[in-house]
Amino acid sequence: MIQSPATPAAPALPLDTALATGPGAEPTRVLARFEGWARNTPQAPAVIDGPRIWTYQDLDAAAALVAADLADRVRPGDLVGVCLDRSTALVVTAVALARLGAVYLPLGPRPGERRIQAVTEDLDVACLIGDPDLLPEEHRGGQHLPLPLPTEGVNAPAVAVAAVADSVHGTRRAPEGALYAVLTSGSTGRPKAVAVAESSLSVALDWYRSETGLAPGDRQSLLIGVAFDPHLLELWAALTSGAALVPAPDDTRWDSRVLTDWWRDTALTHAVAATPTVEPLLDRPWPQDLKLRHLVVGGDRMRRRPGADVTATVHNAYGPAEATVVTTTHTMRGTDPEAGDPTPPPIGTALPGVTLVVTDEEGRPVARGQEGELRVGGHCLALGYLDPELTARRFTAPAPDAELPAVERLYRTGDRVRMNTDGSLDFLGRLDDQVKISGVRIEPAEVEAAFEQDPRVRAAVVTVLRDSSGHGRLVAHVRPTDGADPAPGDLLDAVRSWLPEQAVPAAVRIVDGFPLDANGKVDRPALAAQAQAPQSPLAAASGDPVEAAAGAGAGTGTGTGTDAVAAVTAAERLVLTTVRDLLGRPDTGLGDHFTDAGGTSVVAARLLATVERETGVRLRAPELLRSTDLRAFAALLDQRLTARPEGA
C-alpha cells in the first residue's frame, strides 16, 4: 500500500490568501476494516437485497470463492473491468478483487462496445466480469471462466463470467498501490483512466463515518451508477462500518417519489444521490416518515438549500475523481437560519487531509474573495492517470513563488471558484470546455471525436443547451461528408458504442457549415442559438440504456407545429408544454415518444413532478415509457383526471 505524506501544515502566507487545509488525517486500511467486521460480527447484515439478507460471514465466504476462482487468471495490480450493476454480485466482486490485490475498474452493466475496445486497446485489462450476453462482442466470443456470483436479487446478472479477449490487449497498467481506477471523459475522444490508492479512499471513508455516524445497525444506499466513483464511497463506507448495503432498483432513478418510497420501505438511514435526482424532492413537502438521517448529494451545482421541513442532514459535496470522490462539503439542516434559501449553497470546506488553493493562471494563490482555478492537494489526490504524460500535465508542483513548501503536488481541477473568508468555496463554473450533464463531467471534444469516427461525418461540434433552471443537454451539430446524407438517428446509434450514456447527445442537427466568430473559430453560442429554433432534421435520443433501446427510431416522430394545434385537451397542452420546456425543444410534438424526443431519467422525474403539482394526479415512470407517444401519455392523464371524484 502506498502511504500518503503527512497532512501539510498551513504555509506562512497572508491571512487573506485563498488557501485552506482540512483537519489532520492518517490513512487506514479499507479491506482490513471489512475483514474485522466479518470476524467480529459475522451474523450482522452486510447486504439487504430484497427479502435476502447476506451477513458479513456470507459476503466474506462468497468473495473468497470468487477470489479463489480468479487467482490463476488475475494477479496483484491487474486491472479488472467490472460490468455489473448495483447488486450483491457487484459487492462480492469488489471485495474479491481487493482481496486479490487487483484493481477494480467499474464500467457499468452495458458498456459501449467501441468504448470498451478503446479502453482495452490502451489499458492492460486482465478480464471483464459480467453477464456474457451483455459484454462487448470481443469478449462474448473469447475465453469465459464461470464465476459463483449471486444471480438473484436487485439488478443481478443472469449469469456471471470472467471474459478474456485475446485479440485486444493494451499495455498501460495501474500504478503500484492502486485499489481502483475509474474512467473520466477525455478530450482526445478516448476515455482516460485515473487510479486511486487504498490510502486515499480510506481518508474519505473515515470522514464519512465520522461525519454521518454510520455504524452497525444502519442501512446505506447503493444507488449511484456503477460507472461513477461515488458508488465506491457508498459500497466501502457500509462495509467498513459494520452497516448494511441496500442495492437500489433501477426505477428509483426515474421518479423521485419512487426514490423516497424506496428510502421508506427499506428503512434507509444513509444515502448518497446525484444532485439532479434530489432537486425535485426539495420542491415539495419532505416526507416526514423517513428514517434517513444523512443524505450526501453531489455531481452538479445545488441550486437551492433544503427547506425547514427536511429532516435529514444534507451534505452538499464536491470532488473530482482525481481527488477521490469527495474533496469539500457543506452541511445543511432544517434548523439552519438559511433553510429554504433559494440561492445556491457553497460547496463547502476542505475534508480532512485536503489542501485547497485558488490560483491565477500562473498557479499563484489569489486573495480570498477573488475568482480563480481550484487546485487540490493532500491525502485525497489520486495516484494519477494511467497515462504518465497526462498525469504530468494535470498533477503539478506548486508554482515556485507560491510559497507552498509543504505541498508537493496539486491537481488542476479546471473549476472556477471563489474562497470565502471562512475558507468555504463557491462554485462558479468551468474554465475550459468541459461541461456537466446530469452530474457527469463531459468533454465535448470526446463527443465530437466519436461522431467524426463515422465516415459519413466531416466534422462535428457539440454545444450545450440549458433550460430555465440551468439543466443542460448536449446537441451535436454535424456536417456530413460530400455526398453523404446520414439520418440523425443513425448517427446517434453509431456513437452510443463510443460514449458513456450521459455523453450521448439529446439531439443531432445536420448543418451545411459552422458559423465563425471574429477570431475565425467556431461560434458555439451562435450554433446553440440556432439549435433553439425548430428544425426538421433535429432528432433526439437518450443516453440511458432503457432509453437507447426505446429511441432506436429517433427522428421518426411527428413533432411539428401542427401538433401545437392538435393539443386540444388540457392534459395535452400541459404535457406538450412541459416536455418542450424541459428539453428546450420547441419542435417536440404529441406524436413523439418521450425518449425519442430526448427524455432522460432526470427529465422524466421533473415531468412527473410537474404533472402531479398541476393536476394532483400521480403517474409513474413506467406509464410514461410504455406510452406509444406523448399524446397517449396525455390521454392516460385525462383518464385519471376524469376518474377522480368531484372535489378530489
Side-chain angles (χ1 to χ4, degrees):
M1 179 183 72
I2 289 183
Q3 294 291 329
S4 297
T7 304
L13 289 170
L15 294 178
D16 65 345
T17 299
L19 166 72
T21 58
E26 289 297 330
T28 55
R29 299 296 301 270
V30 174
L31 180 63
R33 278 186 174 273
F34 161 74
E35 292 175 334
W37 289 111
R39 287 192 305 270
N40 298 327
T41 59
Q43 299 307 313
V47 181
I48 300 175
D49 190 354
R52 172 70 192 271
I53 295 179
W54 292 73
T55 65
Y56 272 81
Q57 184 179 62
D58 295 334
L59 184 59
D60 184 61
L65 289 175
V66 173
D69 283 353
L70 288 171
D72 292 337
R73 190 172 301 243
V74 175
R75 300 166 298 168
D78 279 352
L79 285 161
V80 176
V82 179
C83 305
L84 298 169
D85 209 342
R86 302 155 300 198
S87 61
T88 304
L90 178 78
V91 181
V92 172
T93 299
V95 175
L97 293 180
R99 186 162 284 163
L100 287 170
V103 181
Y104 173 94
L105 176 64
L107 300 171
R110 294 175 179 83
E113 194 152 321
R114 291 184 176 178
R115 181 174 174 82
I116 293 301
Q117 183 177 10
V119 169
T120 53
E121 285 175 351
D122 293 343
L123 309 182
D124 183 7
V125 178
C127 62
L128 299 185
I129 293 178
D131 186 330
D133 290 338
L134 301 179
L135 294 178
E137 184 177 358
E138 290 281 350
H139 290 80
R140 286 199 298 269
Q143 303 174 35
H144 288 177
L145 172 67
L147 294 177
L149 287 170
T151 54
E152 295 181 354
V154 173
N155 302 320
V159 64
V161 302
V164 178
D166 294 331
S167 59
V168 182
H169 194 68
T171 58
R172 290 177 181 159
R173 293 178 58 81
E176 183 180 354
L179 175 68
Y180 70 88
V182 290
L183 300 182
T184 64
S185 188
S187 60
T188 63
R190 300 176 79 87
K192 54 190 179 185
V194 60
V196 176
E198 181 181 22
S199 56
S200 296
L201 180 63
S202 76
V203 173
L205 295 174
D206 290 345
W207 163 81
Y208 188 92
R209 289 191 300 269
S210 174
E211 183 71 17
T212 70
L214 184 65
D218 286 332
R219 298 185 178 193
Q220 168 70 53
S221 68
L222 185 57
L223 173 66
I224 299 295
V226 173
F228 310 114
D229 58 324
H231 87 275
L232 285 150
L233 182 69
E234 296 181 284
L235 190 153
W236 286 110
L239 298 186
T240 58
S241 302
L245 272 171
V246 186
D250 193 55
D251 60 353
T252 55
R253 67 192 179 93
W254 282 93
D255 188 331
S256 57
R257 291 217 182 251
V258 173
L259 177 63
T260 53
D261 287 347
W262 176 68
W263 287 348
R264 179 186 303 105
D265 295 342
T266 56
L268 275 185
T269 58
H270 295 68
V272 177
T275 307
T277 304
V278 172
E279 281 183 329
L281 302 177
L282 303 180
D283 292 331
R284 59 172 183 261
W286 185 261
Q288 295 300 301
D289 53 352
L290 300 178
K291 292 188 177 181
L292 191 70
R293 302 200 308 272
H294 289 271
L295 173 61
V296 177
V297 299
D300 204 348
R301 183 183 304 188
M302 200 171 189
R303 291 169 174 82
R304 55 162 293 181
R305 296 172 184 264
D309 62 337
V310 176
T311 53
T313 299
V314 180
H315 307 267
N316 186 31
Y318 162 87
E322 293 85 349
T324 316
V325 190
V326 183
T327 308
T328 67
T329 60
H330 178 71
T331 300
M332 296 169 285
R333 298 176 177 85
T335 55
D336 294 341
E338 306 88 356
D341 192 324
T343 59
I347 57 174
T349 54
L351 263 64
V354 173
T355 295
L356 307 173
V357 190
V358 184
T359 71
D360 60 18
E361 293 181 358
E362 284 72 39
R364 295 187 298 266
V366 301
R368 295 194 179 193
Q370 293 183 355
E371 298 180 10
E373 179 182 9
L374 176 61
R375 303 192 188 208
V376 180
H379 285 303
C380 64
L381 284 195
L383 295 170
Y385 299 105
L386 273 60
D387 178 347
E389 294 182 1
L390 182 59
T391 299
R393 290 198 301 270
R394 301 296 294 183
F395 293 82
T396 63
D401 57 348
E403 300 183 33
L404 297 172
V407 179
E408 297 180 0
R409 289 193 310 156
L410 291 172
Y411 169 66
R412 299 188 60 179
T413 67
D415 288 328
R416 186 167 55 90
V417 301
R418 177 178 53 242
M419 184 175 288
N420 301 309
T421 55
D422 62 356
S424 66
L425 294 175
D426 292 328
F427 180 82
L428 305 176
R430 291 288 301 173
L431 291 169
D432 54 22
D433 290 334
Q434 201 175 66
V435 298
K436 279 195 173 182
I437 302 295
S438 296
V440 178
R441 288 187 295 161
I442 302 296
E443 291 272 9
E446 178 182 10
V447 184
E448 292 163 359
F451 277 95
E452 290 166 1
Q453 298 281 347
D454 194 310
R456 299 169 294 179
V457 176
R458 171 177 291 180
V461 175
V462 171
T463 62
V464 181
L465 297 186
R466 298 196 180 275
D467 61 22
S468 57
S469 61
H471 300 291
R473 65 186 184 92
L474 296 178
V475 177
H477 310 261
V478 172
R479 183 183 179 188
T481 55
D482 292 340
D485 186 22
D490 292 342
L491 294 176
L492 282 170
D493 288 341
V495 300
R496 283 194 179 95
S497 62
W498 282 101
L499 300 171
E501 58 188 71
Q502 283 80 2
V504 177
V508 169
R509 301 178 73 249
I510 305 299
V511 298
D512 295 328
F514 304 120
L516 304 179
D517 61 19
N519 296 320
K521 297 181 179 180
V522 173
D523 191 339
R524 293 174 184 267
L527 272 178
Q530 291 175 11
Q532 294 282 11
Q535 185 192 29
S536 57
L538 186 64
S542 156
D544 288 339
V546 172
E547 298 163 349
T556 60
T558 58
T560 65
T562 59
D563 271 315
V565 178
V568 294
T569 72
E572 288 177 346
R573 285 192 292 272
L574 173 62
V575 169
L576 189 57
T577 300
T578 304
V579 170
R580 285 175 172 176
D581 179 62
L582 291 173
L583 296 178
R585 284 195 56 202
D587 65 329
T588 302
L590 290 169
D592 288 318
H593 187 275
F594 174 73
T595 55
D596 288 354
T600 66
S601 56
V602 172
V603 174
R606 293 182 183 129
L607 171 61
L608 296 170
T610 299
V611 167
E612 182 173 5
R613 183 176 65 250
E614 296 296 326
T615 68
V617 174
R618 181 183 179 190
L619 296 172
R620 299 287 189 137
E623 294 173 312
L624 172 62
L625 299 177
R626 287 195 299 264
S627 299
T628 55
D629 53 27
L630 295 176
R631 181 177 284 107
F633 179 66
L636 179 62
L637 175 57
D638 267 326
Q639 291 173 10
R640 299 287 172 85
L641 285 168
T642 303
R644 294 175 70 201
E646 186 176 353

